[in-house]
Structures are given as C-alpha cells and as structure tokens.
Amino acid sequence: MKKKIIIIVLVAAVAGVVVWETSAKKDFLYAGTIEATEVDLSSRLSSVIKKFTVAEGEDVRPGQLLAELDCDELKLSADIAEKDFKRAGELYNSGSVSRENYDRLKYKRDDAALHLSWCRIKSPVPGRVLYKYREEGEMVAPGTKLLTVADLSEVWTYVYVPHDLLAKLNVGMDVKGFLPEAADKEFPGRVSVIYPEAEFTPKNVQTRKERTRLVFAVKVSFSNTDGMLKPGMTLEVKLPE
C-alpha cells in the first residue's frame, strides 16, 4: 500500500512540474477589442427615403451609391435654374444682362445643383456597411442618421500596460497580434501611439485588484486588407517583456 501511495504522489508531482513549466513558458498577451474608423452618413435634406442600394454587412467602395432620397421638386428647381443660367449667358454675351444678374443666376444654378447632389448618399470610404437605421419610405429630417460605414482597411486595438514596460516600447515598433476566434492566427501590427498619462485599468477588467492598478494606454494598429479583423473582436497582442 505504501508503494502505491508513493508512486501516486510522484506522478502527481511530475504532472505539476510539467503544467508549471508550460505555463511559465507561455507568453503573456495583452487583450484588447478591435476598433475601426466608423463614418456616420446622415441626410442633409428633409425628404422621403426613396431607396437603399446596400444592406448591412455589404462591402462598399468610395463613391458608391448607398441610398437615394425622393427629390422630384429639387430636380425641377435645378432644371429651371440651369435653363435660366444658360439663357442669361446668351444675353450677357450680347450685352443685354449685367454681370451682377449673370453672377446671381450662376450662384442660383450652382446652389440648386448642390442641393440636388445631396439626394444621393455615397460612401466616402472603402469599407463595410455596419448599420442601416431607417427604411425605405420613411420621412427624414436634416441630420437624421441613415447608415454607418466602417473603414476596415486598417484597424486598431488599445492595450493597457504597466509603467515598467513603457521603456521597452517605441512608436513604430513591430508587434504581433493573435486572434482567438481563428485558432490564434497571427497578424503583424505596429505600435502607433503611446499615451503619456497614466490611468486606472478600464472597468471591463474582471478583478477589482486589477482595476486599481495605474496603467498606460498603447494603441496598436493592424493592416486589414482581407477584412478578417472586425470591430468588436478580441485581439491578443504580444509585447516585449
């Protein structure tokens, strides 16, 4: 019986050493949430939404039409302003219209064309439609948010490090990120900003003890040409120890 007990104790001890060595060799990773540049697109006019040309989750290119407002009255006004300006140009060349009246009609033409262009909401960036807030046929006022587009070509995350690690970090330093959702796939990144002011660990950290520590925020950026990294994902970053 004593021999069995001794053998069991020895096996348990060896297993404990293996676990300890594995844990000791594992790199410490700083976790952060992926963020991206998000652009809110709003109506500049009081009108009815005529149609959306994209859905949530679709990739878009710069200048792509995303939504269109019902602007029949504005189109009519723009057509009239264009004809008035063209007629004024002919009269101005013949000396029948003053320069002042010609410039006034030119401004009216340009202003009508500008307002008409606001009827077509286009994407200012390459990216992905994250949210669509309204539906076709709804009446919207100036400033009403219609869509949010995220530029996913480059994303970033914030990690929070202790004071003694700051001396080992430099802006532009290459680091590695790992995505748990993709079997710890590796992504090359770089330190883009090191914030100089200390702050308490963010509230989303689990333990009360950790939340009372003073840390420094570090922004780490990642190229994301394949769009695999998405806002809201957790990315683990390896920094020099």
Side-chain angles (χ1 to χ4, degrees):
M1 180 64 69
K2 290 184 178 180
K3 290 183 179 180
K4 289 183 179 180
I5 294 174
I6 292 173
I7 291 173
I8 292 173
V9 171
L10 287 175
V11 171
V14 171
V17 171
V18 172
V19 171
W20 180 85
E21 287 184 351
T22 303
S23 301
K25 291 178 181 179
K26 186 177 180 181
D27 293 329
F28 183 80
L29 302 176
Y30 294 84
T33 302
I34 295 174
E35 300 181 36
T37 300
E38 296 184 5
V39 181
D40 292 331
L41 302 177
S42 302
S43 173
R44 297 186 180 186
L45 303 168
S46 179
S47 183
V48 173
I49 300 173
K50 186 176 182 179
K51 65 177 179 179
F52 284 101
T53 61
V54 292
E56 290 182 346
E58 283 192 33
D59 292 330
V60 296
R61 62 185 184 278
Q64 180 176 337
L65 180 66
L66 307 181
E68 191 172 351
L69 304 179
D70 189 350
C71 296
D72 290 342
E73 291 184 8
L74 282 178
K75 188 176 186 305
L76 179 60
S77 298
D79 289 342
I80 294 174
E82 178 65 34
K83 292 177 181 178
D84 289 345
F85 174 69
K86 187 177 293 185
R87 188 181 304 112
E90 296 172 354
L91 294 174
Y92 175 73
N93 291 333
S94 65
S96 301
V97 170
S98 66
R99 180 71 189 190
E100 181 181 356
N101 285 333
Y102 174 81
D103 289 342
R104 179 178 59 81
L105 290 172
K106 181 179 183 299
Y107 170 79
K108 187 176 180 180
R109 188 276 309 264
D110 293 345
D111 184 64
L114 176 63
H115 282 75
L116 186 61
S117 70
W118 293 348
C119 298
R120 295 167 62 85
I121 292 87
K122 299 179 180 181
S123 177
V125 296
R128 183 168 298 159
V129 178
L130 293 185
Y131 307 108
K132 183 165 70 77
Y133 302 100
R134 299 288 176 172
E135 298 296 333
E136 295 177 1
E138 286 192 57
M139 183 73 185
V140 294
T144 301
K145 191 186 299 185
L146 302 178
L147 306 115
T148 295
V149 176
D151 181 358
L152 300 181
S153 60
E154 182 173 274
V155 298
W156 64 86
T157 187
Y158 292 97
V159 295
Y160 297 86
V161 303
H163 180 271
D164 55 3
L165 185 58
L166 283 184
K168 300 179 181 180
L169 300 178
N170 296 297
V171 173
M173 174 183 289
D174 292 332
V175 296
K176 296 178 181 179
F178 302 91
L179 188 63
E181 290 90 340
D184 288 334
K185 181 177 178 179
E186 182 179 312
F187 294 86
R190 71 182 190 284
V191 175
S192 51
V193 182
I194 301 174
Y195 293 89
E197 295 183 1
E199 58 183 282
F200 287 107
T201 306
K203 293 181 180 180
N204 58 359
V205 174
Q206 297 298 320
T207 66
R208 181 179 299 177
K209 180 179 178 181
E210 287 297 313
R211 289 198 297 270
T212 60
R213 294 178 59 197
L214 283 176
V215 291
F216 293 81
V218 176
K219 182 179 180 181
V220 183
S221 300
F222 297 86
S223 177
N224 189 39
T225 53
D226 61 359
M228 188 170 185
L229 298 175
K230 300 175 179 62
M233 284 183 168
T234 297
L235 196 67
E236 297 177 339
V237 180
K238 175 68 173 70
L239 298 176
E241 294 296 331

